[in-house]
């Protein structure tokens, strides 16, 4: 059986590290981080891609500091748009498939129902605008593309909400958690698995390129997510005593960047086309010792 060649960018990130781990032994991998490949440098991207000649490029590199992006718009655009475009141009040159990770922040967050791929986009933050620009650049540069929008990503590696909750739970008696933003926690390992499954099907003549949503189920607020984390933390004896959780409004926790109130993603299309089920984020909380550092 042929081992396909995968170029992974952002290999040290939450999704990238999972991609590398899951592809180990199954594929020939070139895993790159920002030191090995500056995706904003088109000449470097073209050189690496032409030398390695991957079958698949998975772009897991991104500028994800949502609040910082408000004051670093040029850098966010360079990574999230120009970098994505460079990879798509290179993929097109060598006949590779490109899979690019995007975000729920491309929507305005005012919708009443879970967002479908065909719903109008209207990003309200610099981060969201640069991610949408990246989507459009990838679509324009390479016909053989997958845009995978996801949300509320967490993983054992890197900074995320779960680690923050456990750390704060050890330090404080009470915590205020936003209760009026609703979305889908998504385990990074499940995102990686979805990307690999999609790439394998595309290589086996499934030609359903385009935009897809993949996120967790069930939908919750940040407050509800925190409640579940602390319930599990107590059951698993990660925390001996739990803080009192208070539900607060978005306006009580001002941030530089706008946060969508409703960023629930409809995952019906990816289930229908590729047979991929939503991420079971509750299952991913069954061993919180991995997040306790």
């Amino acid at each position: 059986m042929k081992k396909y060649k995968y170029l992974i960018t952002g290999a040290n990130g939450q999704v990238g590290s999972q991609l590398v781990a899951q592809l180990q032994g199954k594929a020939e991998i070139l895993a790159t981080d920002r030191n090995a490949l500056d995706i904003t440098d088109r000449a470097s991207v073209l050189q690496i891609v032409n030398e390695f000649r991957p079958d698949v490029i998975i772009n897991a590199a991104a500028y994800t500091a949502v609040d910082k992006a408000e004051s670093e718009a040029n850098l966010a655009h360079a990574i999230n748009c120009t970098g994505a475009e460079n990879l798509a141009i290179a993929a097109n040159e060598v006949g590779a498939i490109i899979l690019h990770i995007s975000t729920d922040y491309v929507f305005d967050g005012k919708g009443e129902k879970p967002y479908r791929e065909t719903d109008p986009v209207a990003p309200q933050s610099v981060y969201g605008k640069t991610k949408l620009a990246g989507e459009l650049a990838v679509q324009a540069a390479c016909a053989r593309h997958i845009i995978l929008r996801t949300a509320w990503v967490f993983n054992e590696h890197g900074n995320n909400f779960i680690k923050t909750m456990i750390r704060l739970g050890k330090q404080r008696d009470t915590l205020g958690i936003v209760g009026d933003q609703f979305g889908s926690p998504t385990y990074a390992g499940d995102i990686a698995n979805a990307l690999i499954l999609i790439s394998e099907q595309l290589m086996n003549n499934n030609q359903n390129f385009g935009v897809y949503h993949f996120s967790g189920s069930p939908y919750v607020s940040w407050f509800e997510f925190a409640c579940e984390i602390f319930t599990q933390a107590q059951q698993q004896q990660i925390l001996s005593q739990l803080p009192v959780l208070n539900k607060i409004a978005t306006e009580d926790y001002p941030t530089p960047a706008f946060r969508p109130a409703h960023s629930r993603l409809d995952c019906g299309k990816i289930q229908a086309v590729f047979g991929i089920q939503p991420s079971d984020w509750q299952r991913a909380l069954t061993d919180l010792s991995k997040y306790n550092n």
Side-chain angles (χ1 to χ4, degrees):
M1 186 174 172
K2 181 187 175 184
K3 276 192 177 182
Y4 290 106
K5 299 172 78 169
Y6 282 77
L7 170 62
I8 311 294
T9 63
N12 291 337
Q14 293 195 98
V15 178
S17 59
Q18 288 280 355
L19 283 165
V20 173
Q22 292 183 31
L23 283 168
Q24 214 68 252
K26 297 180 185 174
E28 188 179 337
I29 311 165
L30 177 59
T32 65
D33 60 12
R34 69 186 71 179
N35 296 319
L37 176 60
D38 177 2
I39 63 171
T40 69
D41 182 341
R42 182 170 297 177
S44 295
V45 171
L46 290 170
Q47 181 183 348
I48 293 263
V49 169
N50 274 292
E51 286 174 0
F52 183 60
R53 303 198 74 79
D55 299 295
V56 180
I57 296 174
I58 303 183
N59 181 29
Y63 182 108
T64 57
V66 175
D67 288 323
K68 215 172 171 185
E70 295 296 311
S71 58
E72 292 187 347
N74 290 341
L75 179 59
H77 188 273
I79 296 169
N80 291 343
C81 179
T82 307
E85 180 180 42
N86 291 340
L87 290 163
I89 288 169
N92 193 59
E93 268 199 17
V94 299
I97 293 164
I98 183 165
L99 294 91
H100 172 71
I101 302 169
S102 192
T103 174
D104 55 311
Y105 276 63
V106 300
F107 298 108
D108 64 13
K110 298 171 185 174
E112 296 296 319
K113 297 178 181 176
Y115 284 104
R116 293 182 176 178
E117 291 82 354
T118 51
D119 286 334
V121 289
Q124 302 293 300
S125 63
V126 168
Y127 169 69
K129 289 171 184 173
T130 63
K131 290 299 288 183
L132 177 58
E135 287 189 12
L136 298 173
V138 168
Q139 289 172 315
C142 184
R144 303 177 78 219
H145 67 263
I146 294 287
I147 309 290
L148 192 76
R149 294 179 183 146
T150 190
W152 295 21
V153 181
F154 69 91
N155 186 36
E156 298 89 346
H157 308 290
N159 297 317
N160 57 63
F161 187 72
I162 296 176
K163 288 190 173 184
T164 300
M165 289 299 101
I166 292 172
R167 176 171 51 80
L168 292 177
K170 293 176 181 178
Q171 298 170 352
R172 301 184 189 176
D173 296 326
T174 62
L175 289 174
I177 310 293
V178 173
D180 58 357
Q181 293 175 20
F182 296 86
S184 316
T186 314
Y187 178 55
D190 292 337
I191 299 171
N193 183 58
L195 288 164
I196 293 166
L197 288 172
I198 290 169
S199 69
E200 289 173 346
Q201 290 190 42
L202 293 175
M203 278 327 182
N204 285 305
N205 295 319
N206 180 336
Q207 298 297 294
N208 286 288
F209 297 101
V211 180
Y212 292 86
H213 290 171
F214 178 79
S215 62
S217 180
Y219 305 122
V220 286
S221 68
W222 287 112
F223 178 81
E224 291 166 330
F225 189 23
C227 288
E228 183 64 24
I229 291 165
F230 283 119
T231 298
Q232 290 294 329
Q234 187 173 46
Q235 289 177 359
Q236 296 172 39
Q237 301 180 326
I238 302 293
L239 295 174
S240 55
Q241 191 168 343
L242 297 185
V244 174
L245 299 185
N246 297 315
K247 191 183 294 186
I248 63 173
T250 297
E251 61 195 31
D252 298 326
Y253 187 72
T255 56
F258 173 87
R259 258 69 175 178
H262 293 281
S263 58
R264 297 166 295 173
L265 298 177
D266 184 315
C267 299
K269 182 182 174 185
I270 199 169
Q271 291 180 65
V273 176
F274 294 108
I276 294 171
Q277 301 301 311
S279 171
D280 182 352
W281 61 264
Q282 290 168 310
R283 178 180 50 80
L285 302 183
T286 53
D287 185 4
L288 287 180
S289 65
K290 296 175 182 177
Y291 301 84
N292 184 28
N293 52 40

